[in-house]
Amino acid sequence: MKIGCPKEIKSQEFRVGMTPNAAREAVAHGHEVLIETQAGAGSGFDDAAYVDAGAEIVQTAEEVFARADMIVKVKEPQAGERKMLREGQVLFTYLHLAPDPEQTHDLLASGATCIAYETVTDDRGGLPLLAPMSEVAGRLAPQVGAWTLQKANGGRGVLMGGVPGVGPARVIVIGGGVVGTHAARIAAGMGADVTVLDRSLPRLRYLDDVFGGQFKNQYSTAGATAELVAQADMVIGAVLIPGAAAPKLVSRAQLSEMKPGAALVDVAIDQGGCFETSKPTTHADPIYEVDGIMHYCVANMPGAVARTSTIALGNATLPFLLNLADKGWKQACAEDPHLLNGLNVHAGQLTYYAVGRALGIDVVSPSLVIK
Ligand SMILES: NC(=O)C1=CN([C@@H]2O[C@H](COP(=O)(O)OP(=O)(O)OC[C@H]3O[C@@H](n4cnc5c(N)ncnc54)[C@H](O)[C@@H]3O)[C@@H](O)[C@H]2O)C=CC1
Ligand SMILES: CC(=O)C(=O)O
Ligand SMILES: [Mg+2]
């Protein structure tokens, strides 16, 4: 199979879909790998490293899309990239379709087969291709939140760990999954006073067992959330209902109850965001203010630490990528129900129920399209 990897074109996105090590393994499996020139540069991988791995460097994204049977990326295809997809081609990348009707309609119109990293599952109930970027975004969240809290950035002027004689920042993390746990660990490590909210009692039991000495946890109800958010210096949004639009857990009215200059970091923004006042921002212009509360809502946070993120993502995607290339998407999905859970779009049909519900589009069962 010909595997194509274009350079990412989303604003300030420096990750790349394949590392030279991934290219080397794909070539060893008998595949041809086409890498757009400079695709890896933002992650510290030059063209020569890909050539050394046996890949071919091509000069334009157009050529990558025209020649490849499967496109491997990081971010959801941008409008110009969507126009280059075609029937029979496989797209393997993050999609986040539930909050994005425009992209969904373009992918349906393209006729391509689109497998979303973020809905591939594993047999422990996890999301193995979302997890590495959730680990990165979770660890980044207190760091960017601390920056947002600085006075010059419009924040409250509170130091995470306080100092002797002055108490620490109060950090509330809503959602105690991968993002939330990593965010809470780092925030606690910075000396903040941290509470994690989650709807899952088994998850709260796990957090209590493992991290009970480092941060507190509480069951997530609207009442508990309102009370804690009103006392917070920083709120990190880290909820997920897989594939679906994020539930709105903090309303605009609640902002007036908060401390002026408090920071909201909405990591769940790629699924539409869990604060009513969230809207996606970019690394170039990451924060904005609503009713005196500072919002950070960058939808591709891991792009800020592209080298770490590219390698971490590549480690997770490689076995799935090889499986898709070796067997073809249909057989690979038929043999692996977890990969089949990644199938969101095939030949003009939507195949993921939570996206269909969010966008009011009819869904065809993925098990029918692999027959
Ligand atoms: N902005 C960015 O750059 C990035 C964003 N993300 C996003 O971060 C979000 C979280 O991802 P993960 O931590 O990997 O998901 P996860 O599935 O590991 O954790 C989500 C947690 O939210 C909890 N939850 C669901 N509804 C809740 C509610 N009403 N109140 C409290 N908790 C609730 C679940 O029980 C679960 O523990 C996703 O939307 C993901 O796409 C992930 C990586 C990068
Ligand atoms: C998960 C995701 O959307 C990202 O890493 O950008
Ligand atoms: Mg994202």
Side-chain angles (χ1 to χ4, degrees), residues 179 237-240 246 265-274:
V179 167
V239 300
L240 176 65
V265 179
D266 200 345
V267 185
I269 189 65
D270 55 356
Q271 294 293 143
C274 61

Side-chain angles (χ1 to χ4, degrees), residues 364-371:
V364 173
S365 166
S367 55
L368 290 180
V369 305
I370 52 168
K371 286 228 165 82

Side-chain angles (χ1 to χ4, degrees), residues 5 10 27 53 61 65 67 96 99 137-139 152 162 184 199 205 234-235 245 250 255 260 268 283 288 292 343 355:
C5 178
K10 188 166 175 144
V27 169
F65 278 83
R67 289 175 57 195
H96 304 294
R139 288 181 180 212
R199 284 296 267 197
R205 287 193 184 100
M234 183 191 304
V235 183
V250 177
L255 301 189
H283 290 291
Y288 63 94
L343 189 68
V355 174

Side-chain angles (χ1 to χ4, degrees), residues 11-13 140 281-286 296 298-305:
S11 165
Q12 303 278 313
E13 180 53 72
L140 269 176
T281 58
T282 63
H283 290 291
D285 191 11
Y296 177 100
V298 174
N300 59 332
M301 291 172 67
V305 287

Side-chain angles (χ1 to χ4, degrees), residues 13 15 74-76 94 96 130 133 270 299-302:
E13 180 53 72
R15 287 172 288 177
V74 179
K75 291 312 295 178
E76 67 280 358
Y94 288 117
H96 304 294
L130 182 61
M133 296 305 92
D270 55 356
N300 59 332
M301 291 172 67

